[in-house]
Amino acid sequence: MIRFLLSALLLIMAAPVAAEWHRDSQDIMGTKIDVVLWHEDETAAAEALDLVMDEMHRINAHYSPYLLDSDLSLINRLAPKASASDPVFISKEMALLLDKSLYYSRITEGAFDITFASLGRYYDYRAEETPSDTQRQELLPAIDYRLVHLDALQPSVYFGRPEVHIDLGGIAKGYAVDRALALLSDAGIEHASVSAGGDTGLIGDRRGRPWMVGIKNPRAPEQVAIVLPLEQGAISTSGDYERYFIDSDGKRVHHIINPSKGTSASGVASASVIGPNAVDTDALSTSVFVLGVDKGLALLESLPGYDGVIISSAGKVHYSSGLQPPEELQSEQ
Ligand code: ADP
Ligand code: MG
């Protein structure tokens, strides 16, 4: 009875505190943007939430493959016809995103490759359509990050083949999350969580407690399979359940493409990566998904400050060494 009273009392005491968490949720960039932040002032909190949503709209306007007047669409129209002597001039921010993307292509030996879209753009997951055999033959050679010629200093770009097409879907949401966190930090916010679909960035903790970030069960995505307590930093998950259909052979056709084959990457159902910044965890979660369990874990082990959880297509869960329980606990299991 005393314990009950005590917990009731704690609940009452907690009530005004809980009122100082502020949240907003909107559909932008083809995904759900969720923001939670702590602020003692209601007006300032509302302004901070707006700041984040405005930034999401700005990033969508520049990098969406669906908007014909986005910077990305412009590059895709002009860069195939451009050349070293007559490149397409781009913003510094676009150069930064392309530079990052090419960096991840190099360290993953092409598992992460924004030119996947040369062929990948002919997948329509809603209409359950895949590229034709002719398209496959013609366009597979145009999946090659080395065909993206970037000058990051005089920000400009041209493509080495007319069929090259790029898409930033594997990195732009992570970048957007980082931008949102930077704006919130600048506004003096010390506790916040921003997520854009599978990419989450955290400022601080949840006032004395860690944030609890869930990894979905890939075969029942409404269920959370694994919960990770996290503070400050980012986590991204790439899953084969986000955009997919099952084809007439019973095969899962989904939105993460193995650039060497031009087909949906197989072997992994979900790959989650934890690290300091969401732009990096986003690119890495896509990379690890494509690389598969062994090479994916090896990549994470080679990068200080990164960890991950991979759920294989067979449902087996693999953790990188930083997430393994200490040895003395393991031996008791
Ligand atoms: P999402 O949160 O959209 O599921 P992911 O981080 O899992 O994002 O990345 C999937 C997206 O990345 C795809 O929708 C596509 O735009 C892009 N993509 C697919 N395959 C690759 C690849 N091999 N390299 C880089 N980007 C890719
Ligand atoms: Mg990703």
Side-chain angles (χ1 to χ4, degrees):
M1 186 60 181
I2 287 175
R3 187 181 281 172
F4 169 76
L5 281 178
L6 208 62
S7 52
L9 191 67
L10 279 174
L11 268 177
I12 293 163
M13 282 165 54
V17 173
E20 294 177 62
W21 285 106
H22 302 268
R23 55 190 79 225
D24 192 9
S25 187
Q26 289 186 28
D27 288 314
I28 312 172
M29 300 198 293
T31 195
K32 180 70 121 243
I33 311 292
D34 287 306
V35 186
V36 183
L37 57 85
W38 173 268
H39 207 300
E40 269 133 50
D41 182 86
E42 183 125 4
T43 316
E47 278 171 14
L49 291 171
D50 286 348
L51 215 57
V52 170
M53 296 306 178
D54 288 351
E55 180 66 359
M56 296 295 177
H57 282 296
R58 185 190 70 80
I59 290 175
N60 186 52
H62 285 299
Y63 306 108
S64 166
Y66 305 108
L67 301 174
L68 290 177
D69 63 348
S70 69
D71 296 7
L72 183 78
S73 296
L74 194 75
I75 290 180
N76 278 326
R77 275 199 300 278
L78 300 180
K81 298 177 221 147
S83 62
S85 57
D86 186 20
V88 183
F89 290 97
I90 58 179
S91 68
K92 274 195 191 149
E93 188 177 55
M94 176 66 89
L96 184 147
L97 282 170
L98 295 182
D99 199 36
K100 268 266 180 213
S101 298
L102 296 174
Y103 164 75
Y104 281 108
S105 295
R106 287 192 298 273
I107 70 162
T108 63
E109 288 167 8
F112 186 86
D113 191 334
I114 54 173
T115 68
F116 83 89
S118 302
L119 177 63
R121 66 185 171 130
Y122 295 104
Y123 281 88
D124 185 335
Y125 302 97
R126 235 177 254 170
E128 307 200 351
E129 282 169 13
T130 57
S132 68
D133 290 345
T134 326
Q135 282 173 324
R136 232 169 245 297
Q137 261 172 11
E138 267 173 29
L139 300 175
L140 196 56
I143 303 186
D144 185 344
Y145 64 93
R146 285 161 295 207
L147 296 167
V148 177
H149 298 278
L150 171 72
D151 181 342
L153 298 177
Q154 302 263 352
S156 61
V157 70
Y158 69 95
F159 295 162
R161 282 175 86 111
E163 304 87 1
V164 175
H165 202 91
I166 59 169
D167 186 305
L168 297 171
I171 194 165
K173 287 203 287 270
Y175 176 72
V177 165
D178 285 343
R179 286 286 314 149
L181 293 190
L183 291 171
L184 294 179
S185 291
D186 288 350
I189 283 160
E190 291 172 351
H191 308 276
S193 161
V194 176
S195 34
D199 303 293
T200 300
L202 306 168
I203 301 179
D205 64 358
R206 220 165 25 138
R207 293 183 43 95
R209 284 179 299 166
W211 298 95
M212 303 302 266
V213 182
I215 297 176
K216 291 173 180 173
N217 174 346
R219 295 297 167 262
E222 66 290 349
Q223 292 170 10
V224 170
I226 297 162
V227 179
L228 296 173
L230 297 173
E231 290 175 16
Q232 187 72 34
I235 175 166
S236 296
T237 297
S238 293
D240 67 3
Y241 49 87
E242 290 289 349
R243 271 192 283 152
Y244 76 97
F245 65 92
I246 307 293
D247 73 7
S248 51
D249 299 332
K251 244 179 67 187
R252 184 177 283 253
V253 180
H254 63 81
H255 70 316
I256 302 170
I257 304 293
N258 180 344
S260 65
K261 298 184 180 155
T263 52
S264 302
S266 56
V268 171
S270 100
S272 303
V273 175
I274 304 168
N277 295 301
V279 67
D280 299 293
T281 57
D282 190 7
L284 281 169
S285 69
T286 310
S287 303
V288 168
F289 193 106
V290 174
L291 286 169
V293 175
D294 295 344
K295 286 186 178 169
L297 284 176
L299 174 68
L300 293 177
E301 298 300 340
S302 76
L303 299 171
Y306 292 89
D307 270 295
V309 183
I310 307 177
I311 306 179
S312 74
S313 311
K316 197 159 184 267
V317 185
H318 303 262
Y319 294 93
S320 68
S321 56
L323 294 176
Q324 302 274 357
E327 247 168 60
E328 58 271 25
L329 285 179
Q330 270 179 23
S331 56
E332 283 169 23
Q333 283 179 350

